[in-house]
Amino acid sequence: MAHLLSVDPFDRHAVERLFAVARGAEPVARRRKVCRALEGAVLGNLFFEASTRTRISFAAAFCRLGGSVCDTTGFTFSSMAKGESIQDTSRVISGYVDALVVRHPERGAVAQFAQATNIPVVNGGDGPGEHPSQALLDLYTIGNEFARLGKRLDGAHVALIGDLKHGRTVHSLIKLLSLYRGLRFTLIAPAGLEMPAELCEAVGARDHHIETRQVLRQPLKDLDVAYATRIQRERFTGEQPEGYTADFRVDKAFLDECCGETTVLMHPLPRDSTAGANDLSTDLDADPRLAIFRQSDSGVAVRMAIFATLLGAERQLQGPLRDVTWRTPSAIGPNDACSDMPSASIGA
Ligand code: NCD
């Protein structure tokens, strides 16, 4: 793997290999152990679009591997505001750093960064295109949740909910999930924001079953995963989605009435908490089925695995690691039942 631009090159084997590295990274990501595998290495974190968790979790992952991070956010303070090309920016920054993470509002722009350099480039989200590291951490989270629940991914029922047209996380995730066997997908989007037809065709061609709906509040039989997403208004080009009403809110009533006791509820975050947003509600925050913070926590180990793999340092995560020398909380958040390391295999 020279770059991580898309999930397309992954097969089940490659996914499992990466997740094995991520499991080795867990004690470091969870602040039990210290690792210096990338001591001396520098990451360039270039975010030309809004981000909180992706930028910080990539940076934290690189730092926890012993490396350092240089970053820039937005176009305003970058030389692109002076008309510099992607190619020049990429080549210049590659003279300073050992790996690049790039987020950009245009589909395909991160691949252009990769073409202009020999250092590894990770796609941190290219417009409505892909978000491969998010999909990998989503699948890793599903594997951890299923291992705890004694479920398997083959044959699972997964609902993807919200803006499936512009949501790059679901574009990458449905491709990754389709590597497994006999899944049932229920795709629930307001009219006008449906999953692109070419993605549905590619998934259907792998013998998965797809059902599409424009209404959220209907029973979802034997649902294993409900994956909600934000409506991406910043990417609208004239769309006026009808049907994106309060009925589309993913809340406790929806989970209790339409999903099951063991449905895992996920969201890539951020959830839009402004009035009328109808996104994932906060009335679920104490519900153990809500996996959103276990999901975001897992991002660090998965991103450590991505860097270690791209830079050929995987083996150093297997060796004996030093204990941390500072005090860390036993659970990270007040609603966390347990923030301990997932110990089971991915079970996917
Ligand atoms: C998503 C993104 O930026 O694509 N967030 C993330 O990276 N976790 C989802 C979103 O913006 O809605």
Side-chain angles (χ1 to χ4, degrees), residues 311-338:
L311 292 165
E314 310 93 299
R315 280 172 177 245
Q316 291 179 63
L317 280 164
Q318 291 163 4
L321 299 165
R322 267 192 301 125
D323 288 341
V324 298
T325 50
W326 61 93
R327 193 171 59 236
T328 60
S330 59
I332 296 170
N335 287 324
D336 295 5
C338 174

mmCIF file of all heavy atoms in Angstrom, residues 311-338:
data_model
loop_
_atom_site.group_PDB
_atom_site.id
_atom_site.type_symbol
_atom_site.label_atom_id
_atom_site.label_comp_id
_atom_site.label_asym_id
_atom_site.label_seq_id
_atom_site.Cartn_x
_atom_site.Cartn_y
_atom_site.Cartn_z
ATOM 1 N N LEU A 311 4.282 3.217 6.424
ATOM 2 C CA LEU A 311 5.694 3.560 6.629
ATOM 3 C C LEU A 311 6.534 2.332 7.010
ATOM 4 O O LEU A 311 7.706 2.471 7.364
ATOM 5 C CB LEU A 311 5.805 4.667 7.699
ATOM 6 C CG LEU A 311 5.242 6.020 7.227
ATOM 7 C CD1 LEU A 311 5.035 6.972 8.391
ATOM 8 C CD2 LEU A 311 6.149 6.669 6.183
ATOM 9 N N GLY A 312 5.949 1.152 6.926
ATOM 10 C CA GLY A 312 6.709 -0.089 7.146
ATOM 11 C C GLY A 312 7.181 -0.273 8.575
ATOM 12 O O GLY A 312 8.266 -0.825 8.807
ATOM 13 N N ALA A 313 6.396 0.175 9.547
ATOM 14 C CA ALA A 313 6.825 0.083 10.953
ATOM 15 C C ALA A 313 5.896 -0.805 11.775
ATOM 16 O O ALA A 313 5.900 -0.734 13.003
ATOM 17 C CB ALA A 313 6.884 1.490 11.557
ATOM 18 N N GLU A 314 5.118 -1.681 11.110
ATOM 19 C CA GLU A 314 4.116 -2.497 11.832
ATOM 20 C C GLU A 314 4.741 -3.347 12.923
ATOM 21 O O GLU A 314 4.175 -3.521 13.990
ATOM 22 C CB GLU A 314 3.381 -3.477 10.917
ATOM 23 C CG GLU A 314 2.791 -2.970 9.671
ATOM 24 C CD GLU A 314 3.728 -3.119 8.498
ATOM 25 O OE1 GLU A 314 4.824 -2.518 8.546
ATOM 26 O OE2 GLU A 314 3.368 -3.799 7.534
ATOM 27 N N ARG A 315 5.932 -3.898 12.615
ATOM 28 C CA ARG A 315 6.518 -4.878 13.538
ATOM 29 C C ARG A 315 6.831 -4.281 14.896
ATOM 30 O O ARG A 315 6.809 -4.979 15.899
ATOM 31 C CB ARG A 315 7.810 -5.451 12.947
ATOM 32 C CG ARG A 315 7.458 -6.514 11.950
ATOM 33 C CD ARG A 315 8.622 -7.020 11.181
ATOM 34 N NE ARG A 315 8.101 -8.078 10.327
ATOM 35 C CZ ARG A 315 8.437 -9.327 10.442
ATOM 36 N NH1 ARG A 315 9.303 -9.691 11.339
ATOM 37 N NH2 ARG A 315 7.910 -10.233 9.646
ATOM 38 N N GLN A 316 7.128 -2.983 14.888
ATOM 39 C CA GLN A 316 7.518 -2.361 16.162
ATOM 40 C C GLN A 316 6.347 -2.264 17.137
ATOM 41 O O GLN A 316 6.541 -2.036 18.323
ATOM 42 C CB GLN A 316 8.109 -0.992 15.907
ATOM 43 C CG GLN A 316 9.444 -1.107 15.203
ATOM 44 C CD GLN A 316 10.021 0.238 14.930
ATOM 45 O OE1 GLN A 316 10.316 0.977 15.855
ATOM 46 N NE2 GLN A 316 10.160 0.574 13.661
ATOM 47 N N LEU A 317 5.131 -2.435 16.637
ATOM 48 C CA LEU A 317 3.980 -2.428 17.535
ATOM 49 C C LEU A 317 3.799 -3.787 18.204
ATOM 50 O O LEU A 317 3.000 -3.927 19.126
ATOM 51 C CB LEU A 317 2.711 -2.054 16.760
ATOM 52 C CG LEU A 317 2.550 -0.561 16.507
ATOM 53 C CD1 LEU A 317 1.513 -0.285 15.434
ATOM 54 C CD2 LEU A 317 2.167 0.162 17.794
ATOM 55 N N GLN A 318 4.511 -4.791 17.698
ATOM 56 C CA GLN A 318 4.384 -6.129 18.289
ATOM 57 C C GLN A 318 5.352 -6.317 19.452
ATOM 58 O O GLN A 318 5.151 -7.172 20.303
ATOM 59 C CB GLN A 318 4.685 -7.210 17.236
ATOM 60 C CG GLN A 318 3.628 -7.287 16.165
ATOM 61 C CD GLN A 318 4.141 -8.033 14.939
ATOM 62 O OE1 GLN A 318 5.252 -8.549 14.922
ATOM 63 N NE2 GLN A 318 3.315 -8.077 13.907
ATOM 64 N N GLY A 319 6.427 -5.520 19.451
ATOM 65 C CA GLY A 319 7.500 -5.726 20.439
ATOM 66 C C GLY A 319 7.064 -5.328 21.834
ATOM 67 O O GLY A 319 5.967 -4.808 22.014
ATOM 68 N N PRO A 320 7.913 -5.555 22.843
ATOM 69 C CA PRO A 320 7.566 -5.100 24.188
ATOM 70 C C PRO A 320 7.501 -3.568 24.219
ATOM 71 O O PRO A 320 8.355 -2.902 23.638
ATOM 72 C CB PRO A 320 8.735 -5.625 25.052
ATOM 73 C CG PRO A 320 9.795 -6.062 24.115
ATOM 74 C CD PRO A 320 9.234 -6.180 22.734
ATOM 75 N N LEU A 321 6.453 -3.065 24.852
ATOM 76 C CA LEU A 321 6.259 -1.612 24.888
ATOM 77 C C LEU A 321 6.342 -1.144 26.337
ATOM 78 O O LEU A 321 5.941 -1.856 27.252
ATOM 79 C CB LEU A 321 4.886 -1.259 24.303
ATOM 80 C CG LEU A 321 4.647 -1.661 22.837
ATOM 81 C CD1 LEU A 321 3.158 -1.596 22.483
ATOM 82 C CD2 LEU A 321 5.426 -0.741 21.900
ATOM 83 N N ARG A 322 6.838 0.066 26.529
ATOM 84 C CA ARG A 322 6.953 0.639 27.883
ATOM 85 C C ARG A 322 5.582 1.045 28.419
ATOM 86 O O ARG A 322 4.712 1.473 27.661
ATOM 87 C CB ARG A 322 7.824 1.895 27.818
ATOM 88 C CG ARG A 322 9.281 1.625 28.086
ATOM 89 C CD ARG A 322 10.040 2.935 28.287
ATOM 90 N NE ARG A 322 9.965 3.849 27.150
ATOM 91 C CZ ARG A 322 9.550 5.103 27.221
ATOM 92 N NH1 ARG A 322 9.115 5.613 28.360
ATOM 93 N NH2 ARG A 322 9.543 5.876 26.154
ATOM 94 N N ASP A 323 5.401 0.978 29.747
ATOM 95 C CA ASP A 323 4.168 1.477 30.362
ATOM 96 C C ASP A 323 4.161 3.008 30.319
ATOM 97 O O ASP A 323 5.222 3.634 30.352
ATOM 98 C CB ASP A 323 4.096 1.055 31.841
ATOM 99 C CG ASP A 323 3.826 -0.436 31.981
ATOM 100 O OD1 ASP A 323 3.340 -1.053 31.005
ATOM 101 O OD2 ASP A 323 4.104 -0.976 33.061
ATOM 102 N N VAL A 324 2.968 3.588 30.294
ATOM 103 C CA VAL A 324 2.898 5.052 30.396
ATOM 104 C C VAL A 324 3.291 5.455 31.822
ATOM 105 O O VAL A 324 3.166 4.662 32.763
ATOM 106 C CB VAL A 324 1.499 5.626 30.057
ATOM 107 C CG1 VAL A 324 1.105 5.329 28.630
ATOM 108 C CG2 VAL A 324 0.447 5.134 31.025
ATOM 109 N N THR A 325 3.718 6.705 31.958
ATOM 110 C CA THR A 325 4.207 7.147 33.272
ATOM 111 C C THR A 325 3.307 8.234 33.859
ATOM 112 O O THR A 325 3.671 8.887 34.807
ATOM 113 C CB THR A 325 5.643 7.687 33.140
ATOM 114 O OG1 THR A 325 5.657 8.617 32.058
ATOM 115 C CG2 THR A 325 6.636 6.567 32.857
ATOM 116 N N TRP A 326 2.154 8.455 33.246
ATOM 117 C CA TRP A 326 1.229 9.461 33.778
ATOM 118 C C TRP A 326 -0.095 8.790 34.146
ATOM 119 O O TRP A 326 -0.321 7.643 33.784
ATOM 120 C CB TRP A 326 1.011 10.598 32.769
ATOM 121 C CG TRP A 326 0.417 10.170 31.460
ATOM 122 C CD1 TRP A 326 -0.900 10.152 31.132
ATOM 123 C CD2 TRP A 326 1.116 9.702 30.289
ATOM 124 N NE1 TRP A 326 -1.073 9.699 29.842
ATOM 125 C CE2 TRP A 326 0.143 9.425 29.301
ATOM 126 C CE3 TRP A 326 2.474 9.509 29.975
ATOM 127 C CZ2 TRP A 326 0.478 8.954 28.031
ATOM 128 C CZ3 TRP A 326 2.792 9.037 28.707
ATOM 129 C CH2 TRP A 326 1.815 8.761 27.763
ATOM 130 N N ARG A 327 -0.964 9.558 34.863
ATOM 131 C CA ARG A 327 -2.228 8.986 35.321
ATOM 132 C C ARG A 327 -3.292 9.133 34.222
ATOM 133 O O ARG A 327 -3.424 10.203 33.633
ATOM 134 C CB ARG A 327 -2.679 9.705 36.593
ATOM 135 C CG ARG A 327 -3.802 8.981 37.305
ATOM 136 C CD ARG A 327 -4.101 9.581 38.660
ATOM 137 N NE ARG A 327 -4.474 10.989 38.571
ATOM 138 C CZ ARG A 327 -3.869 11.973 39.219
ATOM 139 N NH1 ARG A 327 -2.856 11.721 40.032
ATOM 140 N NH2 ARG A 327 -4.271 13.221 39.096
ATOM 141 N N THR A 328 -4.037 8.060 33.938
ATOM 142 C CA THR A 328 -5.092 8.106 32.915
ATOM 143 C C THR A 328 -6.410 7.624 33.534
ATOM 144 O O THR A 328 -6.389 6.780 34.428
ATOM 145 C CB THR A 328 -4.740 7.204 31.708
ATOM 146 O OG1 THR A 328 -4.600 5.865 32.169
ATOM 147 C CG2 THR A 328 -3.453 7.631 31.034
ATOM 148 N N PRO A 329 -7.561 8.152 33.074
ATOM 149 C CA PRO A 329 -8.835 7.725 33.671
ATOM 150 C C PRO A 329 -9.198 6.301 33.239
ATOM 151 O O PRO A 329 -8.818 5.868 32.153
ATOM 152 C CB PRO A 329 -9.853 8.727 33.099
ATOM 153 C CG PRO A 329 -9.234 9.231 31.845
ATOM 154 C CD PRO A 329 -7.745 9.145 32.006
ATOM 155 N N SER A 330 -9.949 5.589 34.078
ATOM 156 C CA SER A 330 -10.318 4.216 33.715
ATOM 157 C C SER A 330 -11.406 4.213 32.642
ATOM 158 O O SER A 330 -11.466 3.318 31.812
ATOM 159 C CB SER A 330 -10.779 3.438 34.944
ATOM 160 O OG SER A 330 -11.877 4.101 35.509
ATOM 161 N N ALA A 331 -12.287 5.213 32.645
ATOM 162 C CA ALA A 331 -13.270 5.375 31.559
ATOM 163 C C ALA A 331 -13.133 6.810 31.073
ATOM 164 O O ALA A 331 -12.946 7.731 31.873
ATOM 165 C CB ALA A 331 -14.673 5.103 32.061
ATOM 166 N N ILE A 332 -13.235 7.010 29.774
ATOM 167 C CA ILE A 332 -12.940 8.340 29.238
ATOM 168 C C ILE A 332 -14.109 9.304 29.437
ATOM 169 O O ILE A 332 -13.926 10.453 29.809
ATOM 170 C CB ILE A 332 -12.547 8.237 27.747
ATOM 171 C CG1 ILE A 332 -11.253 7.424 27.630
ATOM 172 C CG2 ILE A 332 -12.341 9.610 27.132
ATOM 173 C CD1 ILE A 332 -10.876 7.039 26.228
ATOM 174 N N GLY A 333 -15.342 8.826 29.185
ATOM 175 C CA GLY A 333 -16.502 9.717 29.302
ATOM 176 C C GLY A 333 -17.436 9.283 30.414
ATOM 177 O O GLY A 333 -17.427 8.117 30.814
ATOM 178 N N PRO A 334 -18.288 10.205 30.893
ATOM 179 C CA PRO A 334 -19.187 9.883 32.008
ATOM 180 C C PRO A 334 -20.206 8.796 31.678
ATOM 181 O O PRO A 334 -20.680 8.092 32.564
ATOM 182 C CB PRO A 334 -19.886 11.214 32.308
ATOM 183 C CG PRO A 334 -19.584 12.119 31.180
ATOM 184 C CD PRO A 334 -18.363 11.613 30.494
ATOM 185 N N ASN A 335 -20.550 8.634 30.386
ATOM 186 C CA ASN A 335 -21.524 7.597 30.022
ATOM 187 C C ASN A 335 -20.868 6.298 29.564
ATOM 188 O O ASN A 335 -21.551 5.374 29.140
ATOM 189 C CB ASN A 335 -22.446 8.090 28.897
ATOM 190 C CG ASN A 335 -23.438 9.117 29.391
ATOM 191 O OD1 ASN A 335 -23.919 9.025 30.515
ATOM 192 N ND2 ASN A 335 -23.711 10.117 28.572
ATOM 193 N N ASP A 336 -19.531 6.250 29.598
ATOM 194 C CA ASP A 336 -18.851 5.046 29.110
ATOM 195 C C ASP A 336 -18.984 3.945 30.147
ATOM 196 O O ASP A 336 -18.594 4.119 31.301
ATOM 197 C CB ASP A 336 -17.346 5.303 28.899
ATOM 198 C CG ASP A 336 -17.087 6.312 27.797
ATOM 199 O OD1 ASP A 336 -18.064 6.872 27.277
ATOM 200 O OD2 ASP A 336 -15.913 6.540 27.468
ATOM 201 N N ALA A 337 -19.520 2.799 29.704
ATOM 202 C CA ALA A 337 -19.570 1.660 30.613
ATOM 203 C C ALA A 337 -18.148 1.214 30.886
ATOM 204 O O ALA A 337 -17.773 0.907 32.000
ATOM 205 C CB ALA A 337 -20.363 0.529 29.975
ATOM 206 N N CYS A 338 -17.347 1.207 29.860
ATOM 207 C CA CYS A 338 -15.975 0.723 29.979
ATOM 208 C C CYS A 338 -15.215 1.210 28.755
ATOM 209 O O CYS A 338 -15.698 1.075 27.638
ATOM 210 C CB CYS A 338 -15.989 -0.796 30.030
ATOM 211 S SG CYS A 338 -14.358 -1.488 29.991
#
